[in-house]
Amino acid sequence: MKVFINGKIYLERDSFAEAMIVEGNRIIKVGTNDACLQGLTEAARESVTDLKGKTVLPGLNDSHLHFLMTAEYLSLLPITDVTSMNELIKRCRDYIKKNKLTADDVLYTEGWNHTTFTDEKRMPDRSDLDQASTEVPIVLVRVDRHVMSLNTAALDHFNITVETRPSTGGEIKKDDAGQLTGILTEGAVDLVKAKLPKKSREEKKELLVDTMALANKKGLTSMHTNDAKDETIEETLLLYKELEDEDRLSVRFYQQVWFNNGKYLSDFFNSDYTFQQGSAWNKIGPVKFFIDGTLGARTAALRKPYTDDPAAFGIVTKTQEKLTEEVTLAVENGYQVIIHGIGDRGIEMILNAYDNTLNGQPNTLRLGINHMQITGHDLIDRVAEKDYLTYVQPIFLDDDIPIIRERVGNERAETSYLFKTMHDKGIHQSFSSDAPVVSFDPFYNIQCAVTRNRLESTGNDPYLPEEAMDICAAIDAYTYESAYASFEETEKGRIREGYLADFIVLDKDIFTCDLDDIKTTNVLATFVDGKCVYKTGEANEK
């Protein structure tokens, strides 16, 4: 038994407790100090922890990220902070020299964002990367993971020519003369990713364990991870299962199973996997589809053209008929569905597919839309009416604020990223990071949600400030709503009697601190399943 007293323990909006008791992996009592201390034996009183007024939250739960990708990404050459084309080229050149890479190696990394470049705001192409090396294959993926840049050596290494055609959508870009630029978009990036050098199973497992420790340090106790994909589904799911069997999980996982290529769907539905199969630590979740790309890459599918490129409407990865067919197949097999939709045209296609599949029946499988960025009130109303879930990333405002209005114009910008509107309409809205697109630090996400500003801004010129969520709504979106998205809202997401003992202790009162200081919040201790998996300054208790 563990007793915690003198805390500011968040229960739900405007409701706090002083103390709680944990027995085994469950919270068995929540209330006042007196109520939780009453009747304790002398031995039990020795297990009392004085929280000294610190704030306690339910464990945070990221409802959409790529955790294995994040684990691998953290081992790569860092380029997310690069602010110019010249710096990007120099960093690659220096890395190649320092690590003595040869033509037999591949320099692969992720994170460039041309919208932050101060010299040339364009995507790096083969001519740029050839300045870093003409011998070592270089493969650089944009921060959103929807665009890839290759040098000439990489095009040759991966056998990409002007005749190559991607089978899963996307584009191999060519210049006006019909020559390859070295830029691949959407499904075309799989032509390279499928051939990249693979880490061993043990290497991947060690990376996952190390990254779980980092996640615990940031207050994450659960996450919906989107790693299992197409031909690697069984291999990837087995990694997590082995770690569970080895008792090495310190984060609970809900597996979003990703299909870029529909040819793998039937095999998956005919396999031994079933929706919700697994344990409280690791279970099969929804089927995940894509319909469009991203705003930064101008591949998000829009109903009207891009304001800064009137010839561009973005892309859709499949027809309306195909999307509806795949959604229907998933639902008929009893699976929840989550679909990537950023542009208003893409979101509309998702809603059409869901409406046609459900045919007036209630949304009992909790079908949802991931991102829900360029919207419009008509689309939000349709989501609210049919009770579809939304998975949103306020942290995206940090990158997107400088480009939203130039990409889609003022009229559409005024009806986009409407997180408070969705909340006020009763839409189930969970928070996620989509890491490694951005950091999975949840306090960055929460700050962007409540300030509507970039992380380094000081309160000036917030984007649609009337859409700022209050702190209770933001915390609930990271706890209760994420649990709801995995059908676990009666098991976790609240500090409540009978719930799993997943909770965190903070170094500051997140409910009263300056909103611009939320990003500096530190976690003092993280408990998962009643065990302390992270504690500041001390060895973790297993």
Side-chain angles (χ1 to χ4, degrees):
M1 178 185 292
K2 297 173 184 175
V3 184
F4 299 83
I5 62 171
N6 294 325
K8 183 176 181 179
I9 301 172
Y10 178 65
L11 305 180
E12 57 188 2
R13 175 175 293 278
D14 302 324
S15 180
F16 298 87
E18 286 182 309
M20 64 179 176
I21 301 175
V22 172
E23 187 164 9
N25 70 340
R26 297 280 171 174
I27 299 166
I28 64 169
K29 191 173 185 63
V30 179
T32 64
N33 289 336
D34 289 344
C36 290
L37 289 172
Q38 186 176 12
L40 289 184
T41 64
E42 286 301 315
R45 284 181 178 272
E46 292 180 3
S47 68
V48 173
T49 297
D50 187 349
L51 294 168
K52 299 179 180 179
K54 297 301 184 184
T55 298
V56 178
L57 302 180
L60 301 177
N61 184 346
D62 191 315
S63 66
H64 174 76
L65 82 170
H66 308 272
F67 193 67
L68 177 58
M69 292 181 196
T70 301
E72 293 177 329
Y73 167 79
L74 291 173
S75 68
L76 302 176
L77 165 67
I79 60 171
T80 55
D81 59 336
V82 167
T83 58
S84 71
M85 187 77 75
N86 285 335
E87 184 183 358
L88 181 66
I89 294 167
K90 181 179 184 301
R91 198 168 292 193
C92 291
R93 184 188 297 127
D94 291 348
Y95 184 86
I96 289 169
K97 182 178 180 180
K98 178 181 178 181
N99 292 278
K100 299 179 181 179
L101 301 187
T102 71
D104 294 327
D105 301 304
V106 176
L107 168 50
Y108 174 88
T109 190
E110 304 172 1
W112 61 263
N113 184 356
H114 65 293
T115 67
T116 66
F117 288 178
T118 55
D119 49 3
E120 300 181 75
K121 290 187 182 294
R122 61 176 179 80
M123 298 183 187
D125 59 25
R126 67 190 292 182
S127 64
D128 300 309
L129 301 188
D130 282 351
Q131 295 177 52
S133 178
T134 56
E135 297 180 0
V136 177
I138 300 175
V139 179
L140 307 183
V141 178
R142 192 179 186 276
V143 64
D144 56 16
R145 303 180 64 86
H146 289 253
V147 180
M148 177 182 283
S149 299
L150 288 75
N151 67 348
T152 301
L155 289 169
D156 293 341
H157 181 86
F158 293 101
N159 196 30
I160 297 173
T161 70
V162 292
E163 285 80 29
T164 305
R165 298 289 182 270
S167 61
T168 56
E171 181 182 4
I172 301 172
K173 288 190 174 290
K174 302 179 179 66
D175 60 22
D176 293 340
Q179 298 303 304
L180 298 178
T181 66
I183 297 175
L184 313 183
T185 72
E186 305 304 333
V189 305
D190 290 336
L191 294 169
V192 173
K193 286 190 174 181
K195 299 177 182 177
L196 287 170
K198 299 291 192 296
K199 287 183 168 59
S200 70
R201 295 188 62 75
E202 288 307 312
E203 286 174 327
K204 289 180 181 179
K205 285 164 65 176
E206 292 307 314
L207 287 173
L208 285 170
V209 169
D210 289 345
T211 310
M212 278 188 276
L214 179 58
N216 294 150
K217 183 178 180 180
K218 298 297 183 181
L220 289 161
T221 61
S222 292
M223 54 185 64
H224 303 204
T225 188
N226 188 198
D227 294 316
K229 174 185 175 185
D230 290 338
E231 72 276 11
T232 67
I233 290 172
E234 184 173 4
E235 172 191 344
T236 304
L237 293 178
L238 189 57
L239 285 174
Y240 289 92
K241 185 65 171 66
E242 287 176 1
L243 287 172
E244 180 183 10
D245 292 344
E246 295 164 8
D247 196 26
R248 300 179 74 192
L249 295 184
S250 62
V251 173
R252 303 183 191 278
F253 291 100
Y254 189 58
Q255 303 285 345
Q256 297 173 341
V257 185
W258 178 6
F259 292 93
N260 261 4
N261 193 329
K263 75 178 185 179
Y264 296 99
L265 272 173
S266 294
D267 287 345
F268 179 71
F269 292 138
N270 290 327
S271 71
D272 292 333
Y273 295 115
T274 57
F275 179 55
Q276 294 282 313
Q277 174 187 356
S279 69
W281 281 102
N282 180 39
K283 66 178 62 175
I284 303 295
V287 165
K288 166 76 185 306
F289 298 128
F290 276 88
I291 191 58
D292 69 349
T294 68
L295 189 69
R298 294 192 188 86
T299 53
L302 302 181
R303 294 189 282 198
K304 296 179 181 178
Y306 280 84
T307 301
D308 57 353
D309 187 356
F313 286 79
I315 68 164
V316 293
T317 60
K318 59 194 70 176
T319 65
Q320 179 69 71
E321 292 72 24
K322 185 64 175 176
L323 181 64
T324 302
E325 175 188 322
E326 290 180 349
V327 169
T328 300
L329 182 61
V331 169
E332 287 177 344
N333 280 275
Y335 275 86
Q336 182 182 25
V337 181
I338 173 176
I339 306 178
H340 168 116
I342 288 182
D344 51 10
R345 182 185 175 203
I347 295 166
E348 186 172 54
M349 290 178 68
I350 294 169
L351 293 173
N352 291 342
Y354 285 168
D355 288 352
N356 287 332
T357 296
L358 294 182
N359 193 26
Q361 297 301 306
N363 183 27
T364 55
L365 283 171
R366 301 183 183 178
L367 312 180
I369 301 173
N370 188 32
H371 304 309
M372 194 78 185
Q373 287 173 217
I374 310 304
T375 48
H377 290 290
D378 62 318
L379 300 176
I380 291 175
D381 287 343
R382 287 180 65 181
V383 170
E385 178 186 357
K386 299 297 177 63
D387 200 26
Y388 297 130
L389 277 59
T390 59
Y391 303 69
V392 302
Q393 300 79 29
I395 184 61
F396 282 11
L397 289 170
D398 190 48
D399 281 334
D400 289 355
I401 282 176
I403 66 169
I404 295 168
R405 295 187 186 278
E406 69 181 49
R407 286 285 192 275
V408 299
N410 288 332
E411 183 177 351
R412 283 180 292 186
E414 293 294 317
T415 60
S416 297
Y417 304 78
L418 301 186
F419 306 137
K420 185 175 187 297
T421 292
M422 286 189 272
H423 174 267
D424 291 348
K425 286 181 177 289
I427 292 172
H428 284 287
Q429 180 177 230
S430 58
F431 279 2
S432 59
S433 64
D434 206 11
V437 170
V438 296
S439 167
F440 58 46
D441 190 321
F443 301 103
Y444 292 175
N445 226 338
I446 291 172
Q447 177 164 315
C448 288
V450 300
T451 65
R452 299 291 294 189
N453 223 329
R454 306 188 73 192
L455 289 172
E456 298 307 318
S457 295
T458 56
N460 296 322
D461 197 26
Y463 173 68
L464 302 184
E466 67 277 11
E467 287 296 324
M469 298 175 72
D470 67 32
I471 189 64
C472 290
I475 290 171
D476 289 350
Y478 244 126
T479 54
Y480 172 82
E481 290 293 349
S482 294
Y484 182 89
S486 59
F487 297 82
E488 295 174 294
E489 72 274 15
T490 61
E491 285 285 299
K492 62 184 182 183
R494 295 286 191 205
I495 293 178
R496 189 172 289 171
E497 292 175 6
Y499 278 48
L500 290 167
D502 299 352
F503 59 94
I504 59 176
V505 183
L506 306 183
D507 70 339
K508 67 179 63 172
D509 186 346
I510 197 172
F511 296 93
T512 61
C513 73
D514 188 290
L515 298 182
D516 289 323
D517 289 338
I518 290 174
K519 67 174 182 272
T520 64
T521 301
N522 291 312
V523 176
L524 299 178
T526 299
F527 289 79
V528 184
D529 220 39
K531 298 178 182 178
C532 184
V533 296
Y534 169 76
K535 191 171 185 178
T536 304
E538 297 180 20
N540 292 348
E541 173 188 333
K542 299 307 287 182

